[in-house]
Amino acid sequence: MSIHSTIAKIYRPAVFQGRLDSGGYFEGWYFKQVSTDSRRVLAFIPGVSLSGERHAFIQMIDGTTGASRYFSYDLSEFSWRRDRFEIGIGASRFSSEGMSINITTPDIRVTGSLDFCDPLPYPVKLLSPGIMGWYSFVPSMECYHDVVSMGHRLEGSITIQEETIGFDGGRGYIEKDWGVSFPESWIWLQGNTFTGVDASFMLSVAKIPWRGRHFNGFLCFLYAGGTLYRFMTYTGARIDEIRQGDNRLFVSVSDRRHRLFVEARQHVTGSLAAPAMGTMSRPIKECGNASLNLRLEDTGGRIIFDASDTTAGMEAVGDILELSRRR
Protein backbone atom coordinates (compact mmCIF):
# COMPACT_ATOMS: atom_id res chain seq x y z
CA MET A 1 0.00 0.00 0.00
CA SER A 2 1.40 3.43 -0.96
CA ILE A 3 2.07 6.18 1.58
CA HIS A 4 -0.58 8.30 -0.16
CA SER A 5 -3.20 5.57 0.25
CA THR A 6 -2.26 5.05 3.90
CA ILE A 7 -2.57 8.74 4.72
CA ALA A 8 -5.84 9.00 2.80
CA LYS A 9 -7.30 6.20 4.93
CA ILE A 10 -6.15 7.83 8.17
CA TYR A 11 -8.18 10.92 7.30
CA ARG A 12 -11.21 8.79 6.42
CA PRO A 13 -11.31 6.52 9.48
CA ALA A 14 -14.89 5.36 8.81
CA VAL A 15 -13.94 3.57 5.58
CA PHE A 16 -12.52 0.04 5.51
CA GLN A 17 -8.95 0.34 6.80
CA GLY A 18 -7.70 -3.18 6.20
CA ARG A 19 -6.81 -5.53 3.36
CA LEU A 20 -8.57 -8.83 2.81
CA ASP A 21 -5.25 -10.59 2.17
CA SER A 22 -3.89 -9.66 5.61
CA GLY A 23 -3.93 -12.00 8.60
CA GLY A 24 -4.54 -11.64 12.33
CA TYR A 25 -6.85 -8.68 11.69
CA PHE A 26 -10.41 -7.61 12.43
CA GLU A 27 -12.57 -4.63 11.59
CA GLY A 28 -16.09 -3.91 12.76
CA TRP A 29 -18.67 -1.12 12.80
CA TYR A 30 -21.25 -0.62 15.55
CA PHE A 31 -24.71 0.71 14.56
CA LYS A 32 -27.03 1.44 17.49
CA GLN A 33 -30.71 2.35 17.12
CA VAL A 34 -33.07 3.58 19.84
CA SER A 35 -36.80 4.02 19.21
CA THR A 36 -38.37 7.41 19.86
CA ASP A 37 -40.08 6.15 23.05
CA SER A 38 -36.80 4.53 24.22
CA ARG A 39 -38.52 1.17 24.63
CA ARG A 40 -36.52 -0.60 21.94
CA VAL A 41 -32.76 -0.68 21.45
CA LEU A 42 -31.28 -2.64 18.57
CA ALA A 43 -27.66 -2.77 17.42
CA PHE A 44 -26.01 -4.32 14.36
CA ILE A 45 -22.27 -4.96 14.10
CA PRO A 46 -21.03 -5.78 10.58
CA GLY A 47 -17.38 -6.67 10.16
CA VAL A 48 -14.63 -9.01 9.01
CA SER A 49 -12.43 -11.53 10.82
CA LEU A 50 -9.20 -12.27 8.96
CA SER A 51 -7.73 -15.04 11.06
CA GLY A 52 -8.58 -18.71 11.53
CA GLU A 53 -11.83 -19.29 9.64
CA ARG A 54 -11.68 -16.03 7.72
CA HIS A 55 -15.14 -14.62 7.22
CA ALA A 56 -17.44 -11.60 7.23
CA PHE A 57 -20.14 -11.31 9.86
CA ILE A 58 -23.13 -9.38 11.16
CA GLN A 59 -23.87 -9.47 14.87
CA MET A 60 -27.26 -8.36 16.16
CA ILE A 61 -28.13 -7.61 19.77
CA ASP A 62 -31.44 -6.52 21.27
CA GLY A 63 -30.59 -4.10 24.05
CA THR A 64 -34.04 -4.51 25.57
CA THR A 65 -34.01 -8.30 25.98
CA GLY A 66 -30.30 -9.18 25.63
CA ALA A 67 -31.03 -11.61 22.78
CA SER A 68 -28.17 -11.75 20.27
CA ARG A 69 -27.28 -13.52 17.03
CA TYR A 70 -24.09 -14.01 15.01
CA PHE A 71 -24.45 -14.39 11.26
CA SER A 72 -21.38 -15.62 9.38
CA TYR A 73 -20.71 -14.99 5.67
CA ASP A 74 -18.10 -16.05 3.17
CA LEU A 75 -15.45 -13.34 2.84
CA SER A 76 -16.36 -12.95 -0.84
CA GLU A 77 -19.71 -11.47 0.33
CA PHE A 78 -17.97 -8.47 1.88
CA SER A 79 -17.67 -5.32 -0.26
CA TRP A 80 -16.65 -1.73 0.39
CA ARG A 81 -16.05 1.62 -1.23
CA ARG A 82 -12.73 3.42 -1.03
CA ASP A 83 -14.03 6.96 -1.60
CA ARG A 84 -16.64 7.00 1.18
CA PHE A 85 -18.00 4.89 4.00
CA GLU A 86 -20.21 2.20 2.53
CA ILE A 87 -19.93 -1.55 3.08
CA GLY A 88 -21.97 -4.56 2.07
CA ILE A 89 -22.25 -8.00 3.67
CA GLY A 90 -24.43 -10.47 1.85
CA ALA A 91 -27.63 -8.66 0.89
CA SER A 92 -27.25 -6.04 3.66
CA ARG A 93 -25.76 -2.57 3.24
CA PHE A 94 -24.37 -0.09 5.78
CA SER A 95 -23.26 3.53 5.39
CA SER A 96 -23.27 6.86 7.19
CA GLU A 97 -26.53 7.70 5.39
CA GLY A 98 -28.48 4.59 6.34
CA MET A 99 -28.63 0.82 6.28
CA SER A 100 -30.70 -1.94 4.73
CA ILE A 101 -30.91 -5.32 6.42
CA ASN A 102 -31.72 -8.54 4.60
CA ILE A 103 -30.75 -11.60 6.64
CA THR A 104 -32.42 -14.96 6.08
CA THR A 105 -31.47 -18.21 7.79
CA PRO A 106 -33.50 -21.42 8.32
CA ASP A 107 -34.70 -20.16 11.71
CA ILE A 108 -34.83 -16.35 11.49
CA ARG A 109 -35.48 -13.54 9.05
CA VAL A 110 -34.42 -9.94 9.65
CA THR A 111 -35.31 -7.27 7.09
CA GLY A 112 -35.83 -3.54 6.86
CA SER A 113 -34.17 -0.23 6.15
CA LEU A 114 -33.30 2.89 8.08
CA ASP A 115 -32.36 6.38 6.91
CA PHE A 116 -29.91 8.35 9.03
CA CYS A 117 -30.92 12.01 9.00
CA ASP A 118 -28.76 14.97 10.02
CA PRO A 119 -25.75 12.90 11.15
CA LEU A 120 -23.26 14.60 13.47
CA PRO A 121 -19.79 13.23 12.58
CA TYR A 122 -16.91 13.40 15.01
CA PRO A 123 -14.56 16.11 13.63
CA VAL A 124 -11.53 15.10 11.55
CA LYS A 125 -8.71 17.67 11.66
CA LEU A 126 -5.20 17.86 10.21
CA LEU A 127 -3.38 16.88 13.41
CA SER A 128 -6.30 14.99 14.92
CA PRO A 129 -7.95 12.71 12.34
CA GLY A 130 -10.77 11.43 14.50
CA ILE A 131 -11.28 10.61 18.14
CA MET A 132 -7.84 9.00 18.56
CA GLY A 133 -6.07 12.28 17.82
CA TRP A 134 -2.38 11.91 17.04
CA TYR A 135 -2.52 8.25 18.11
CA SER A 136 -4.12 7.69 14.69
CA PHE A 137 -0.63 8.10 13.20
CA VAL A 138 0.99 5.50 15.49
CA PRO A 139 1.50 2.22 13.59
CA SER A 140 0.83 -1.30 14.86
CA MET A 141 -1.40 -0.49 17.80
CA GLU A 142 -3.48 -3.37 19.13
CA CYS A 143 -6.77 -1.61 18.41
CA TYR A 144 -7.89 1.63 16.77
CA HIS A 145 -11.21 3.38 17.37
CA ASP A 146 -13.42 5.87 15.54
CA VAL A 147 -16.76 7.57 16.13
CA VAL A 148 -18.52 7.84 12.77
CA SER A 149 -21.68 9.60 13.97
CA MET A 150 -22.20 11.06 17.44
CA GLY A 151 -25.90 11.06 16.70
CA HIS A 152 -28.55 11.16 13.99
CA ARG A 153 -32.30 10.95 13.61
CA LEU A 154 -33.77 7.66 12.38
CA GLU A 155 -36.50 7.01 9.83
CA GLY A 156 -37.66 3.51 8.98
CA SER A 157 -38.24 0.13 10.58
CA ILE A 158 -36.69 -3.31 11.13
CA THR A 159 -38.72 -6.53 11.06
CA ILE A 160 -37.51 -9.57 13.03
CA GLN A 161 -39.62 -12.59 12.18
CA GLU A 162 -43.17 -11.22 12.47
CA GLU A 163 -42.38 -8.22 14.69
CA THR A 164 -41.82 -4.82 13.09
CA ILE A 165 -39.91 -2.31 15.20
CA GLY A 166 -40.52 1.30 14.18
CA PHE A 167 -37.65 3.74 14.58
CA ASP A 168 -39.19 6.90 13.08
CA GLY A 169 -37.95 9.84 15.11
CA GLY A 170 -35.53 7.68 17.09
CA ARG A 171 -31.81 8.21 17.62
CA GLY A 172 -28.84 6.43 16.12
CA TYR A 173 -25.10 6.22 16.74
CA ILE A 174 -22.16 4.71 14.81
CA GLU A 175 -18.62 3.84 15.88
CA LYS A 176 -16.00 1.31 14.80
CA ASP A 177 -12.85 -0.60 15.82
CA TRP A 178 -10.07 -2.24 13.85
CA GLY A 179 -6.74 -3.91 14.51
CA VAL A 180 -5.61 -7.18 16.06
CA SER A 181 -7.48 -7.62 19.36
CA PHE A 182 -9.68 -5.86 21.84
CA PRO A 183 -7.78 -4.89 25.03
CA GLU A 184 -7.27 -7.23 27.97
CA SER A 185 -9.47 -4.96 30.12
CA TRP A 186 -11.75 -2.10 29.18
CA ILE A 187 -14.74 0.08 30.02
CA TRP A 188 -17.08 1.37 27.33
CA LEU A 189 -20.05 3.63 27.94
CA GLN A 190 -22.15 5.42 25.33
CA GLY A 191 -25.35 7.41 25.32
CA ASN A 192 -27.12 9.94 23.10
CA THR A 193 -30.75 9.76 24.21
CA PHE A 194 -30.60 12.03 27.25
CA THR A 195 -33.93 13.14 28.70
CA GLY A 196 -34.90 16.65 27.65
CA VAL A 197 -31.61 17.59 26.00
CA ASP A 198 -29.77 16.90 22.74
CA ALA A 199 -26.38 15.48 23.70
CA SER A 200 -23.97 12.64 22.94
CA PHE A 201 -21.38 10.95 25.14
CA MET A 202 -18.82 8.18 24.91
CA LEU A 203 -16.17 6.92 27.32
CA SER A 204 -13.62 4.20 26.61
CA VAL A 205 -10.90 3.24 29.11
CA ALA A 206 -8.52 0.44 28.17
CA LYS A 207 -5.34 -1.38 29.12
CA ILE A 208 -3.13 -0.71 26.11
CA PRO A 209 0.00 -2.75 25.33
CA TRP A 210 2.98 -0.70 24.16
CA ARG A 211 6.55 -1.86 23.47
CA GLY A 212 6.44 -4.82 25.83
CA ARG A 213 4.67 -2.89 28.59
CA HIS A 214 1.23 -1.33 28.90
CA PHE A 215 -0.52 1.86 29.96
CA ASN A 216 -4.08 2.82 30.80
CA GLY A 217 -5.45 5.09 28.09
CA PHE A 218 -8.86 6.62 27.62
CA LEU A 219 -11.06 8.46 25.16
CA CYS A 220 -14.05 10.49 26.32
CA PHE A 221 -16.25 13.16 24.80
CA LEU A 222 -19.45 14.96 25.67
CA TYR A 223 -21.23 16.93 22.97
CA ALA A 224 -23.81 19.23 24.53
CA GLY A 225 -25.18 22.68 23.77
CA GLY A 226 -23.23 22.80 20.51
CA THR A 227 -19.90 22.36 22.33
CA LEU A 228 -17.61 19.32 22.15
CA TYR A 229 -15.91 18.65 25.49
CA ARG A 230 -12.96 16.28 25.10
CA PHE A 231 -11.23 14.31 27.86
CA MET A 232 -8.46 12.20 26.34
CA THR A 233 -5.12 10.75 27.33
CA TYR A 234 -3.52 12.82 24.56
CA THR A 235 -5.21 16.09 25.66
CA GLY A 236 -3.71 15.88 29.14
CA ALA A 237 -6.93 14.84 30.88
CA ARG A 238 -6.81 12.28 33.65
CA ILE A 239 -8.95 9.65 35.32
CA ASP A 240 -9.58 10.70 38.90
CA GLU A 241 -11.55 7.68 40.08
CA ILE A 242 -13.07 4.39 39.00
CA ARG A 243 -15.37 2.46 41.32
CA GLN A 244 -17.40 -0.67 40.57
CA GLY A 245 -19.94 -2.68 42.54
CA ASP A 246 -23.51 -4.00 42.55
CA ASN A 247 -23.82 -3.65 38.74
CA ARG A 248 -22.84 0.01 39.07
CA LEU A 249 -19.86 1.85 37.70
CA PHE A 250 -18.63 5.29 38.70
CA VAL A 251 -15.94 7.17 36.76
CA SER A 252 -14.70 10.73 37.08
CA VAL A 253 -12.34 12.42 34.62
CA SER A 254 -10.95 15.94 34.59
CA ASP A 255 -8.70 18.42 32.86
CA ARG A 256 -7.61 21.98 33.66
CA ARG A 257 -11.05 23.44 32.93
CA HIS A 258 -13.71 20.79 33.61
CA ARG A 259 -14.57 17.69 35.57
CA LEU A 260 -17.01 15.04 34.37
CA PHE A 261 -18.78 12.66 36.74
CA VAL A 262 -20.18 9.47 35.18
CA GLU A 263 -22.42 6.95 36.92
CA ALA A 264 -23.81 3.92 35.09
CA ARG A 265 -25.96 1.00 36.18
CA GLN A 266 -26.13 -2.22 34.20
CA HIS A 267 -29.45 -3.95 33.56
CA VAL A 268 -30.08 -6.66 30.93
CA THR A 269 -26.95 -7.98 29.20
CA GLY A 270 -26.43 -9.99 26.03
CA SER A 271 -23.51 -11.94 24.60
CA LEU A 272 -21.28 -10.66 21.81
CA ALA A 273 -18.17 -12.05 20.14
CA ALA A 274 -15.09 -9.84 20.47
CA PRO A 275 -11.81 -10.14 18.51
CA ALA A 276 -8.69 -11.89 19.78
CA MET A 277 -5.77 -12.00 17.34
CA GLY A 278 -8.20 -11.38 14.53
CA THR A 279 -10.62 -14.17 15.42
CA MET A 280 -14.08 -13.41 16.80
CA SER A 281 -13.54 -15.90 19.60
CA ARG A 282 -13.79 -13.92 22.83
CA PRO A 283 -17.23 -13.88 24.47
CA ILE A 284 -18.15 -10.65 26.25
CA LYS A 285 -21.28 -9.14 27.79
CA GLU A 286 -22.90 -5.89 26.68
CA CYS A 287 -25.80 -3.98 28.20
CA GLY A 288 -27.87 -1.90 25.79
CA ASN A 289 -30.28 -0.36 28.30
CA ALA A 290 -27.97 0.85 31.05
CA SER A 291 -28.94 3.82 33.21
CA LEU A 292 -26.44 6.63 32.74
CA ASN A 293 -26.09 9.86 34.72
CA LEU A 294 -23.66 12.60 33.68
CA ARG A 295 -22.66 15.81 35.42
CA LEU A 296 -20.17 18.25 33.93
CA GLU A 297 -18.73 21.00 36.12
CA ASP A 298 -16.18 23.73 35.59
CA THR A 299 -13.27 24.11 38.01
CA GLY A 300 -15.35 26.47 40.14
CA GLY A 301 -18.04 23.85 40.66
CA ARG A 302 -20.59 25.44 38.33
CA ILE A 303 -22.78 22.76 36.74
CA ILE A 304 -22.70 22.97 32.94
CA PHE A 305 -24.53 19.73 32.10
CA ASP A 306 -26.59 17.35 34.23
CA ALA A 307 -28.76 14.73 32.52
CA SER A 308 -29.69 11.04 32.39
CA ASP A 309 -30.07 8.38 29.70
CA THR A 310 -31.93 5.08 30.19
CA THR A 311 -30.78 3.41 26.95
CA ALA A 312 -27.02 3.68 27.30
CA GLY A 313 -24.52 1.11 26.06
CA MET A 314 -22.23 -0.40 28.69
CA GLU A 315 -19.35 -2.90 28.72
CA ALA A 316 -17.01 -3.59 31.64
CA VAL A 317 -14.58 -6.37 30.75
CA GLY A 318 -11.59 -7.77 32.63
CA ASP A 319 -9.96 -6.24 35.71
CA ILE A 320 -11.75 -2.88 35.87
CA LEU A 321 -10.06 -1.52 38.99
CA GLU A 322 -6.60 -1.80 37.43
CA LEU A 323 -7.73 0.73 34.84
CA SER A 324 -7.64 3.45 37.50
CA ARG A 325 -4.00 2.81 38.39
CA ARG A 326 -1.52 5.30 37.02
CA ARG A 327 1.64 3.88 35.48
Side-chain angles (χ1 to χ4, degrees):
M1 183 182 296
S2 68
I3 294 177
H4 179 270
S5 297
T6 300
I7 293 175
K9 279 190 172 183
I10 288 175
Y11 285 96
R12 291 199 301 265
V15 305
F16 180 52
Q17 299 289 307
R19 302 196 325 266
L20 293 187
D21 60 355
S22 62
Y25 180 84
F26 81 94
E27 189 159 349
W29 295 259
Y30 182 90
F31 290 76
K32 178 184 175 183
Q33 289 69 228
V34 180
S35 63
T36 187
D37 60 4
S38 296
R39 292 183 178 179
R40 297 306 303 267
V41 182
L42 190 64
F44 292 91
I45 309 169
V48 293
S49 171
L50 303 182
S51 186
E53 296 183 2
R54 299 158 59 87
H55 66 283
F57 62 85
I58 299 175
Q59 296 194 70
M60 179 180 72
I61 182 167
D62 187 325
T64 309
T65 66
S68 64
R69 296 291 298 259
Y70 190 102
F71 304 100
S72 183
Y73 296 80
D74 189 89
L75 203 55
S76 63
E77 296 190 74
F78 174 73
S79 62
W80 75 99
R81 293 188 58 149
R82 291 180 173 85
D83 59 334
R84 61 189 176 92
F85 170 43
E86 184 178 321
I87 62 170
I89 297 180
S92 300
R93 297 291 180 269
F94 303 86
S95 75
S96 55
E97 288 79 40
M99 68 180 185
S100 60
I101 303 295
N102 192 341
I103 301 171
T104 301
T105 72
D107 62 333
I108 192 170
R109 179 171 170 79
V110 185
T111 60
S113 63
L114 297 174
D115 292 326
F116 302 156
C117 308
D118 306 317
L120 183 63
Y122 192 90
V124 174
K125 300 180 179 180
L126 180 61
L127 299 180
S128 185
I131 196 170
M132 290 193 66
W134 61 263
Y135 278 101
S136 302
F137 300 107
V138 177
S140 303
M141 293 193 71
E142 180 183 50
C143 186
Y144 297 86
H145 190 77
D146 181 48
V147 174
V148 181
S149 174
M150 293 187 285
H152 47 265
R153 180 170 50 83
L154 300 172
E155 296 294 337
S157 64
I158 301 293
T159 299
I160 303 175
Q161 297 293 67
E162 304 301 324
E163 180 192 15
T164 297
I165 306 169
F167 286 102
D168 287 351
R171 295 293 292 170
Y173 172 84
I174 311 171
E175 66 174 49
K176 69 171 293 192
D177 296 278
W178 68 99
V180 178
S181 301
F182 271 9
E184 180 180 331
S185 303
W186 77 84
I187 293 168
W188 173 78
L189 295 169
Q190 179 276 326
N192 66 346
T193 54
F194 292 91
T195 303
V197 62
D198 184 13
S200 182
F201 160 81
M202 193 278 293
L203 167 70
S204 175
V205 187
K207 180 178 178 180
I208 301 171
W210 183 248
R211 295 182 176 180
R213 304 181 69 182
H214 68 268
F215 67 94
N216 294 330
F218 68 99
L219 306 169
C220 178
F221 76 83
L222 170 63
Y223 181 85
T227 300
L228 181 63
Y229 301 92
R230 301 187 307 153
F231 300 88
M232 318 283 190
T233 301
Y234 61 82
T235 66
R238 68 179 187 179
I239 298 174
D240 296 311
E241 185 179 13
I242 296 177
R243 285 188 281 113
Q244 184 187 37
D246 192 28
N247 291 324
R248 293 179 182 270
L249 184 66
F250 176 85
V251 182
S252 64
V253 298
S254 63
D255 59 17
R256 290 177 295 177
R257 293 178 296 175
H258 301 99
R259 190 173 185 186
L260 181 64
F261 300 89
V262 182
E263 185 176 1
R265 182 178 182 182
Q266 181 175 277
H267 299 295
V268 177
T269 63
S271 296
L272 290 175
M277 300 304 293
T279 66
M280 301 300 291
S281 58
R282 184 181 180 186
I284 66 165
K285 294 291 187 181
E286 177 177 302
C287 176
N289 66 344
S291 301
L292 176 66
N293 299 291
L294 297 184
R295 188 174 80 254
L296 177 69
E297 299 180 354
D298 63 18
T299 52
R302 181 177 68 92
I303 297 176
I304 301 170
F305 180 88
D306 191 350
S308 300
D309 186 344
T310 59
T311 57
M314 178 176 178
E315 296 172 1
V317 180
D319 187 348
I320 299 306
L321 295 183
E322 77 167 348
L323 297 176
S324 63
R325 299 173 193 145
R326 294 181 184 142
R327 304 180 188 278

